[in-house]
Amino acid sequence: MKTTLLKSEDYTRSPWKNGGGIFTDIADAHRAGSPTKDWDSLLWRFASTPIVAPGPFSYMPGIDRLQMVVGGRGLVLKAPGREFDEREPFTTVRFTGELEIVTELEAGPVEVVNLMARRGAAEIELLALREPGDRPLSAGTHLVYAVFGNCSIRLNSEEFAVPHGSTLKVELTEPSRLALVSGLGVLGSIQLVG
């Protein structure tokens, strides 16, 4: 097991693919040997972003996306013939980057967390850690993001404090157990395929 604390002051900021806003890049991975780290070389990305006005989502062919509102409420994603309801915070929605999505804000701006992965390169999961309790973690990369205040977790028998806004990156070569001890966190899990 390898753990790395990613501090909020070290996160990078980049424009959305469509230029409509700015996201905070918390952690990502790109294809080995890619000359540039861009959308074409992306394997996965964990990021947060504010959505302050209704508008279209970026077109991301070949990318699977998970999203969760962590600040504010009332977000609805509208796609042709479909709707993704994120009105309540900490609800995860899954959609593909090819979908033509337009946001609807029913109660003002929101802050969201996104976990994206290149289809066929990685399997991803995104969930809120709100209740103390124990859960299995598979081998892979796991990110525990402390959304509000400090968050404390236990991995197997070792306890870790994650300061507000920071993220604990956990790289596992074998299955493990994670327990939320205190606070509130978001858990992003990535398993590379092949």
Side-chain angles (χ1 to χ4, degrees):
M1 174 173 77
K2 178 184 175 190
T3 59
T4 310
L5 185 64
L6 309 175
K7 297 180 180 175
S8 56
E9 59 264 27
D10 297 327
Y11 299 159
T12 58
R13 278 144 188 89
S14 304
W16 294 356
K17 191 166 184 268
N18 68 8
I22 299 288
F23 69 84
T24 299
D25 192 1
I26 296 171
D28 61 18
H30 292 262
R31 280 193 203 98
S34 294
T36 56
K37 290 184 175 186
D38 58 17
W39 289 101
D40 292 330
S41 67
L42 184 71
L43 292 175
W44 61 265
R45 169 172 280 137
F46 183 67
S48 69
T49 189
I51 299 176
V52 298
F57 266 28
S58 300
Y59 178 65
M60 296 182 177
I63 301 289
D64 289 327
R65 300 183 65 176
L66 296 172
Q67 184 174 280
M68 175 190 293
V69 171
V70 295
R73 59 188 330 108
L75 176 65
V76 181
L77 309 183
K78 305 263 188 174
R82 303 182 68 178
E83 184 176 285
F84 299 91
D85 185 351
E86 290 186 82
R87 288 177 178 94
E88 288 302 313
F90 303 104
T91 302
T92 302
V93 297
R94 181 183 292 266
F95 53 94
T96 65
E98 292 85 356
L99 269 182
E100 291 178 26
I101 288 179
V102 176
T103 56
E104 188 173 282
L105 296 168
E106 296 180 347
V110 295
E111 181 82 20
V112 301
V113 171
N114 287 288
L115 180 56
M116 311 171 209
R118 183 153 312 280
R119 195 168 304 127
E123 298 291 329
I124 52 175
E125 294 295 331
L126 184 67
L127 60 93
L129 298 174
R130 294 191 277 185
E131 304 294 327
D134 193 275
R135 72 193 73 246
L137 290 184
S138 58
T141 300
H142 304 275
L143 303 156
V144 179
Y145 175 46
V147 183
F148 296 116
N150 299 332
C151 173
S152 182
I153 61 161
R154 190 169 45 254
L155 286 166
N156 296 330
S157 57
E158 195 175 348
E159 203 161 307
F160 295 88
V162 187
H164 169 72
S166 297
T167 302
L168 184 69
K169 182 179 182 182
V170 180
E171 295 165 276
L172 296 174
T173 55
E174 57 188 38
S176 184
R177 308 260 338 148
L178 178 145
L180 177 67
V181 176
S182 65
L184 172 64
V186 173
L187 174 65
S189 296
I190 306 107
Q191 282 182 287
L192 293 179
V193 176

